[in-house]
Amino acid sequence: MMIWLTGIMLVIAAAAGLLVVLSRDPKRQIFALCANGLVLSLLFFALQAPDVALSEIVVGAVVVPLLFLVALAAVAVARVRE
Amino acid sequence: MRTRFRAAALTASAAALFPAAWAVIAAMPPFGEHVSPYGAAVNAVVPAARHVSNMVAAVNFDLRGLDTLGEESMLLCAVTGTVVLLRGARGEGTSGSAVRLPGRAVAQRSDATILVCRFAATLLFFFGVYVALHGLVTPGGGFQGGVIIASGLLLLYLGEGYAHWRSIVRGRILSFLEGAGALLFVLVGAIPLALGKAAFRNILPLGTFRDLYAGGTMVVVNAAVACAVAGGFTLILLEFMEETRAPETEREPGEGG
């Protein structure tokens, strides 16, 4: 049962990573990265590492995508000002 | 032509590298097997020696406290560097509103969004405090609690909008938390040295096993890490959010660096 769960989670994690690489629009890519972080944290939870899952869910699914989003916004603002 | 050449090069290099890769894969231990004798030794010795039940926290904050001090100073350097870089180009002003792109409609937040964000942010904040407090008993600890607190404060931004968020979350308090956490960590390492013992020697009373405040100096280090991480992460988020602030006056390029 556990091995099946882990296997399914691994496949979903690989698919989510593939989505990040394949999406071309930066905004979509950021949200794909968000989903990837979420899936990874579930995988860590399934592998009995809840503390790592807690860090991953915040850092991988919230902080890093947010920094990218703000960077995108800054680029858009700079383009308008030019 | 070039695509074909690339495909051929890929196939050739994959064929050449496959035996080596397979040798490594075949020699790996089976999935899920515990191979670390150090981990087994920690599990056997530390509950009795340090009176805590979260072995990860015990390794991070006591047995290998020096390594965590290194990570802590890395976090401090990274936060300082980010703040200096971003603030240097922008100045220290705090007032103002978020920038608006011309031609884009500004959507008003619905009352439901504001309400849910206020509830969720409060819950998340206290959950972060809870995770940090119980770091030595259950999985979690200062780092996890700190980042959860930071994300809770970020949720306030979602609900309140830029100007309100900026008046709630103060940069000075955050930088104080970050610096004080790092200083406290250094003191925990250095005070035993001043007493003529090894650095990071656990000199405080250990308390009863599995008690919330058991673990001696680990309790202090855990609190220090929680403060430093919550302050540092929120400060980074704040500085990045400041990048989206509308400038008070248009400056000449190159001025006020």
Side-chain angles (χ1 to χ4, degrees), chain A residues 51 55 58 66-67 70 77 81, chain B residues 99 101 139-140 144 147 237 240 247:
Chain A
D51 42 356
S55 328
V58 179
L66 179 93
L67 297 192
V70 172
V77 169
R81 279 200 196 132
Chain B
V99 71
L101 288 183
Q144 284 82 359
V147 287
L237 294 176
F240 266 79

Side-chain angles (χ1 to χ4, degrees), chain B residues 60-62 68 184-185 188 200 216-226:
Chain B
N60 278 340
F61 297 152
D62 191 320
T68 314
L184 196 58
F185 202 148
V188 168
F200 285 101
T217 54
M218 272 185 264
V219 179
V220 184
V221 173
N222 189 35
V225 169

Side-chain angles (χ1 to χ4, degrees), chain B residues 12 17 24 28 42 63 67 71 80 95 97 125 133 145 167 170 175 178 188 193 203 206 249 253:
Chain B
L17 288 175
V24 173
M28 270 166 43
V42 165
L63 304 185
D67 297 11
E71 289 168 20
T80 314
S95 63
S97 56
F125 181 82
L133 264 183
S167 64
R170 302 296 175 94
S175 42
E178 163 76 31
V188 168
L193 279 179
I203 47 171
L206 289 174
T249 49

Side-chain angles (χ1 to χ4, degrees), chain B residues 34-107:
Chain B
H34 298 281
V35 285
S36 161
Y38 185 70
V42 165
N43 279 336
V45 172
V46 171
R50 290 289 186 271
H51 299 195
V52 296
S53 50
N54 182 5
M55 291 307 119
V56 180
V59 170
N60 278 340
F61 297 152
D62 191 320
L63 304 185
R64 305 300 307 237
L66 193 64
D67 297 11
T68 314
L69 182 64
E71 289 168 20
E72 181 58 53
S73 17
M74 268 161 55
L75 179 71
L76 184 67
C77 290
V79 171
T80 314
T82 312
V83 171
V84 166
L85 272 179
L86 291 177
R87 230 181 243 174
R90 195 181 53 216
E92 285 223 34
T94 50
S95 63
S97 56
V99 71
R100 270 168 199 170
L101 288 183
R104 181 182 283 188
V106 179

Side-chain angles (χ1 to χ4, degrees), chain B:
Chain B
M1 182 62 194
R2 274 195 72 183
T3 325
R4 217 194 227 170
F5 174 71
R6 277 188 192 172
L10 177 69
T11 321
S13 49
L17 288 175
F18 182 74
W22 183 252
V24 173
I25 292 170
M28 270 166 43
F31 185 76
E33 197 180 68
H34 298 281
V35 285
S36 161
Y38 185 70
V42 165
N43 279 336
V45 172
V46 171
R50 290 289 186 271
H51 299 195
V52 296
S53 50
N54 182 5
M55 291 307 119
V56 180
V59 170
N60 278 340
F61 297 152
D62 191 320
L63 304 185
R64 305 300 307 237
L66 193 64
D67 297 11
T68 314
L69 182 64
E71 289 168 20
E72 181 58 53
S73 17
M74 268 161 55
L75 179 71
L76 184 67
C77 290
V79 171
T80 314
T82 312
V83 171
V84 166
L85 272 179
L86 291 177
R87 230 181 243 174
R90 195 181 53 216
E92 285 223 34
T94 50
S95 63
S97 56
V99 71
R100 270 168 199 170
L101 288 183
R104 181 182 283 188
V106 179
Q108 287 293 327
R109 285 174 172 77
S110 69
D111 289 345
T113 310
I114 298 175
L115 185 71
V116 167
C117 280
R118 280 182 188 173
F119 271 117
T122 316
L123 280 179
L124 212 55
F125 181 82
F126 283 112
F127 181 62
V129 173
Y130 165 85
V131 167
L133 264 183
H134 291 74
L136 300 173
V137 189
T138 51
F143 182 85
Q144 284 82 359
V147 287
I148 291 174
I149 291 173
S151 68
L153 290 175
L154 185 66
L155 208 53
L156 275 181
Y157 169 82
L158 198 64
E160 307 295 323
Y162 176 83
H164 279 267
W165 187 68
R166 202 63 189 76
S167 64
I168 298 169
V169 179
R170 302 296 175 94
R172 270 174 200 280
I173 300 175
L174 298 176
S175 42
F176 172 77
L177 276 178
E178 163 76 31
L183 181 71
L184 196 58
F185 202 148
V186 172
L187 282 181
V188 168
I191 285 177
L193 279 179
L195 298 176
K197 292 171 180 161
F200 285 101
R201 168 68 64 87
N202 205 330
I203 47 171
L204 293 175
L206 289 174
T208 36
F209 179 57
R210 271 191 186 160
D211 192 52
L212 195 57
Y213 305 112
T217 54
M218 272 185 264
V219 179
V220 184
V221 173
N222 189 35
V225 169
C227 287
V229 170
F233 267 75
T234 318
L235 197 60
I236 290 183
L237 294 176
L238 183 74
E239 289 301 327
F240 266 79
M241 282 302 184
E242 282 287 275
E243 283 294 299
T244 66
R245 184 187 70 197
E248 310 93 60
T249 49
E250 285 294 338
R251 284 186 190 165
E252 296 294 311
E255 185 199 321

